[in-house]
């Protein structure tokens, strides 16, 4: 293997649509899967052929395998049982030892949207076996150490197959199971939309960890080290095989779909929605390979060459060996294509390249609420100036409309009044939806869903999207007269709520799909089953911070104290300690190995106790972020979690009179982040009564961010307090805690609350508590029926109305 940077070696557009999966069979053979419903087999051909020379590599298309009736996703090469331990991959990255011709020594397996798992005979190109059993889309395929086939699905199950029959069905994940990886020691790992990774031994789940803050999308083994995970939260993490965290790799600016490692484990690759594949060494990004569109899958050949599968329908091979680099002409053409796509990225009609960089955030805003859009890694990101906190608060990435000029409304050679960009979520690329004035939105929606291979359950969302974006009223009442083009049955209420051009509900569990709605009475074709919004699983945290703004405010306050000759003013050495503390917090990639010095904790403790109340909020902000560092969380658990410890002292000072919105906001966020790591979960249970009493006045705050923080705290408490086993172990009065949380949540869930997200989180806390059964009657007595009815009738654009409709089952 060469030691330089990767360069393009091979490119092919043999697939008609997105390429979704890769399975490496040997150095000379691999397979790819696509949304075009096919699997293609690629084999190394003589380098002397003209086609190979033009492509820059000696690979050519060997066979096209046709058998799936919908798009094909995961692929895996399953070696024969005598070589199965070498598979070890995660749904497409495993390396076998056989050539394609040696199909008797192994099989190629694919999973599709059609719920089928197909086993292929590579000699004939025919389907050898059809494995039916999953009820929804198959999302992952891998080989177990015993040579069996393991598959996972959106139906939340894992199945293990042998000789065409399902031998085991594993369940336990609370959302879609999205990926698998099998270790040589017999352990099987699964990643899910519930943000967890589970480890299975036989039919038993022996460990489960909340691995990411969003869906776990990809898994792969790092030889002789452990397990790699890729997530919708934008990160790649490394774990040992006991699921202890070792390393976090941060750099992608969007969802990460896949991860793979070289056979020797020296390099790691990841593919992302941000249209890059990144190559990592020792936790650091050593190279970014830009693509014209999102990278769905990555896999290494035994030689170390990297294969990428992209949404533009292309497969590409990248090499560090100068002998295999593509001709200069091909590489130049590719660079121009990437450059052209980069130029098309606009925000508000302005090229992303022309936006100011993140250095613009070093300048304070002119007024509270001022919005600034800056360029972060070729993405436009919006920030809002907070005068109270004296920093820029990150709002999120800015999604623009079509890249063409606004008056150019052409699609597939035809002119339309509108051509919308539609993001249906779950990592699916943006689709084009054409529409003309006078068209029946329901007919347009039905035809479009059919053309896109999407469930009719999305119909109402498509229609609503069209109506909202064309300024129309509802053209006809919904009823049983609109036929289902799939079955001939009547219309039904959709079962999922994708993000039709709008943000996903912020309070929804990370990576979890929107909730199911009950089908209309006239429905004859049931929509795919989806999870409800409640009960809430897992905790929310506030995990972003503008450290430059925090430090600027701390130093500004310190200068003022120094001019007043205050004893609490920091010395030059203490300011250096503060800088080093922030450096540790910023370096999230090394949270697994970094730690804080004793003087860091002493400094924070001193500031919390000695600085004036008006100067306290940036100190609380640093404390909030420290609670998310594993080493700090363990220290606080052991040294500062008692009734008079640093944490409780900080909460009391934040809530002390006279109240200030900045202290309330940062103080409540400190309490929220205590839920972030398991080592501190005893603290909120131990101090629940006092914490909720101290922050009760926040419900009446005029600052919606304070109320949102309080609603988040109540939601976390609801999740904590429905764990009956943990409550019993702690000797806690379960009902008392639930009633206190319930009562506080009702204040924020009322129709008088102006902010829909505050209402949503408070109502979700109520739903979670009612679902446990302990305080259901109490909630009804407190007026749950009225609150639920008001939520169901709300016109909010988030999931509040849906939650209200679902909760009716709790009060009837």
């Amino acid at each position: 293997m060469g030691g330089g940077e990767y360069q393009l070696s091979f490119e092919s557009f043999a697939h008609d649509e997105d390429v979704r999966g890769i399975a490496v069979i040997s150095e000379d053979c691999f397979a790819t899967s696509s949304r075009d419903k096919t699997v293609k087999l690629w084999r190394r051909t003589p380098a002397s052929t003209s086609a190979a020379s033009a492509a820059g590599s000696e690979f050519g298309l060997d066979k096209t395998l046709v058998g799936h009736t919908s798009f094909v996703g995961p692929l895996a090469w399953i070696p024969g049982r005598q070589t199965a331990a070498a598979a070890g991959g995660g749904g497409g990255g495993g390396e076998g030892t056989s050539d394609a011709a040696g199909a008797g020594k192994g099989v190629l397996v694919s999973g599709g949207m059609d719920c089928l798992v197909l086993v292929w005979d590579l000699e004939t190109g025919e389907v050898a076996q059809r494995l039916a059993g999953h009820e929804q889309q198959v999302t992952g395929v891998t080989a177990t150490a015993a040579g069996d086939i393991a598959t996972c699905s959106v139906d939340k199950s894992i199945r293990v197959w042998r000789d065409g029959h399902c031998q085991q069905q594993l369940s336990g994940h609370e959302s879609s199971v999205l990926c698998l990886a099998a270790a040589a020691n017999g352990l099987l790992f699964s990643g899910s939309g519930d943000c967890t990774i589970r480890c299975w031994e036989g039919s038993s789940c022996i460990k489960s960890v909340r691995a990411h803050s969003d869906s776990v999308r990809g898994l792969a083994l790092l030889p002789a080290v452990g397990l790699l995970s890729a997530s919708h939260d934008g990160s790649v993490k490394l774990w040992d095989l006991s699921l202890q965290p070792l390393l976090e790799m941060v750099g992608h600016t969007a969802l990460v779909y896949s991860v793979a490692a070289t056979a020797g484990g020296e390099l790691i690759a990841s593919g992302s929605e941000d249209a890059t594949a990144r190559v990592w060494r020792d936790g650091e990004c050593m190279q970014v390979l830009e693509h014209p569109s999102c990278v769905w899958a990555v896999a290494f050949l035994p030689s170390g060459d990297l294969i990428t599968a992209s949404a533009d329908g292309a497969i590409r091979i990248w090499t560090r060996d100068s002998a295999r680099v593509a001709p200069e002409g091909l590489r130049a053409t590719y660079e121009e294509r990437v450059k052209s796509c980069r130029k098309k990225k606009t925000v508000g009609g302005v090229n992303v390249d022309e936006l100011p960089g993140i250095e613009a955030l070093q300048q304070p805003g002119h007024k509270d609420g001022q919005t600034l859009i800056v360029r972060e890694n070729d993405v436009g990101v919006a920030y809002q100036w907070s005068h109270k906190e004296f920093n820029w608060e990150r709002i999120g990435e800015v999604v623009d409309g079509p890249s063409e000029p606004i008056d150019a409304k052409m699609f597939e050679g035809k002119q339309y009044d509108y051509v919308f960009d539609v993001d249906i979520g779950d990592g699916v690329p943006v689709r084009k939806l054409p529409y003309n004035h006078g068209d029946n939105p329901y007919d347009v929606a039905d035809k479009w869903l059919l053309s896109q291979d999407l469930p009719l359950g999305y119909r109402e969302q498509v229609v609503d999207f069209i109506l909202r974006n064309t300024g129309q009223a509802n053209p006809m009442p919904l009823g049983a007269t609109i036929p289902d083009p799939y079955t001939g049955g009547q219309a039904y209420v959709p079962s999922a709520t994708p993000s039709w051009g709008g943000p996903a509900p912020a309070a929804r569990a990370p990576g979890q799909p929107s909730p199911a709605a009950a089908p209309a009475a006239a429905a004859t074709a049931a929509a795919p089953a989806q999870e409800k919004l409640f009960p809430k699983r897992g905790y929310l945290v506030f995990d972003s911070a503008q450290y430059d703004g925090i430090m600027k405010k701390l130093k500004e306050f310190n200068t003022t104290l120094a001019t007043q000759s205050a004893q609490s003013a920091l010395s030059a050495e203490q300011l250096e300690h503060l800088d080093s503390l922030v450096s540790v917090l910023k370096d999230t990639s090394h949270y697994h190995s970094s730690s804080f010095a004793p003087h860091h904790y002493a400094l924070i403790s001193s500031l919390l106790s000695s600085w004036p109340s008006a100067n306290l909020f940036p100190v609380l902000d640093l404390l909030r972020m420290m609670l998310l560092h594993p080493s700090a969380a363990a220290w606080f658990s052991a040294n500062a979690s008692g009734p008079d410890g640093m944490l409780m002292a900080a909460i009391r000072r934040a809530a002390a009179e006279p109240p200030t919105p900045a202290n309330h906001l940062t103080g409540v966020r400190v309490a929220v982040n205590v839920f972030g790591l398991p080592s501190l979960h005893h603290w909120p249970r131990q101090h629940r009564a006092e914490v909720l009493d101290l922050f009760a006045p926040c419900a009446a705050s005029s600052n919606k961010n304070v109320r949102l923080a309080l609603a988040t705290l109540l939601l976390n408490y609801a999740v904590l307090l429905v764990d009956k086993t943990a409550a019993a172990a702690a000797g806690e009065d379960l009902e008392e805690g639930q009633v206190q949380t319930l009562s506080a949540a009702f204040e924020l869930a009322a129709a008088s609350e102006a902010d829909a997200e505050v209402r949503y989180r408070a109502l979700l806390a109520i739903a979670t508590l009612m679902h446990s059964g302990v305080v259901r009657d109490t909630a009804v007595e407190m007026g749950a029926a009225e609150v639920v009815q008001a939520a169901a009738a709300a016109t909010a654009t988030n999931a509040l109305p849906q939650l209200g409709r679902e909760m009716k089952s709790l009060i009837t």
Side-chain angles (χ1 to χ4, degrees), residues 11 13 15-19 291-294 309-316 334 337:
E11 181 180 54
F13 289 88
H15 282 291
D16 294 330
E17 296 188 59
D18 307 41
V19 185
H291 287 64
S293 55
C294 91
S310 180
D312 62 356
I315 61 166
R316 298 177 176 92
Y334 178 73
R337 193 182 317 134

Side-chain angles (χ1 to χ4, degrees), residues 378-607:
D378 293 328
V379 176
V381 180
Y383 286 83
Q384 187 175 64
W385 177 253
S386 170
H387 183 69
K388 295 289 185 182
E389 299 189 42
F390 204 78
N391 65 15
W392 290 99
E393 294 185 341
R394 192 179 195 273
I395 299 173
E397 291 186 12
V398 180
V399 180
D400 206 22
S403 56
E404 290 79 11
I406 196 165
D407 58 345
K409 302 180 182 68
M410 301 294 294
F411 180 67
E412 294 184 344
K414 299 179 182 179
Q415 186 168 351
Y416 292 88
D417 294 326
Y418 301 92
V419 178
F420 298 111
D421 279 355
V422 179
D423 179 10
I424 70 169
D426 194 29
V428 178
V430 170
R431 316 282 186 89
K432 298 292 185 181
L433 170 60
Y435 178 79
N436 281 321
H437 281 302
D439 287 348
N440 185 317
Y442 293 94
D443 289 342
V444 172
D446 289 342
K447 292 176 182 177
W448 185 77
L449 290 170
L450 283 170
S451 71
Q452 299 295 318
D453 243 353
L454 294 171
L456 190 65
Y458 288 161
R459 174 203 275 156
E460 298 304 329
Q461 277 68 41
V462 181
V463 171
D464 180 63
F465 177 86
I466 293 172
L467 298 182
R468 284 189 288 108
N469 287 277
T470 58
Q472 301 181 69
N474 198 331
M476 65 174 69
L478 293 178
T481 59
I482 305 170
D484 178 346
Y486 288 98
T487 65
Q490 302 302 319
Y492 55 89
V493 178
S495 64
T497 309
S499 301
W500 300 107
R508 197 165 64 213
Q512 198 163 317
S514 292
T524 60
Q530 298 287 338
E531 291 187 74
K532 288 189 174 183
L533 284 172
F534 66 87
K536 176 72 173 67
R537 310 286 188 186
Y539 302 107
L540 302 180
V541 294
F542 293 99
D543 57 1
S544 63
Q546 293 300 314
Y547 292 110
D548 292 342
I550 293 173
M551 288 300 296
K552 182 175 181 179
K553 202 65 181 175
L554 286 168
K555 291 177 181 179
E556 174 188 317
F557 285 159
N558 192 63
T559 299
T560 301
L561 291 171
T563 59
Q564 298 170 353
S565 299
Q567 291 185 351
S568 57
L570 300 179
S571 66
E573 183 182 19
Q574 287 175 311
L575 287 173
E576 290 179 0
H577 290 167
L578 206 55
D579 285 331
S580 63
L581 183 152
V582 171
S583 295
V584 175
L585 288 174
K586 284 183 174 181
D587 190 11
T588 57
S589 294
H590 292 90
Y591 269 24
H592 67 287
S593 58
S594 63
S595 61
F596 297 92
H599 59 248
H600 290 139
Y601 298 108
L603 178 58
I604 293 296
S605 178
S606 174
L607 292 173

Side-chain angles (χ1 to χ4, degrees), residues 10 12 14 28-30 32 40-43 59-62 315:
F10 172 78
S12 173
D28 299 324
C29 188
F30 64 92
T32 55
K40 293 185 183 291
L41 187 67
W42 303 84
R43 193 192 298 276
F59 277 99
L61 179 62
D62 182 59
I315 61 166

Side-chain angles (χ1 to χ4, degrees), residues 156 172-176 192 194 196 198 512 531 537-538:
K156 298 186 283 188
H173 280 291
E174 298 169 0
S175 186
S176 306
S192 168
D194 63 14
T196 69
R198 286 178 176 252
Q512 198 163 317
E531 291 187 74
R537 310 286 188 186

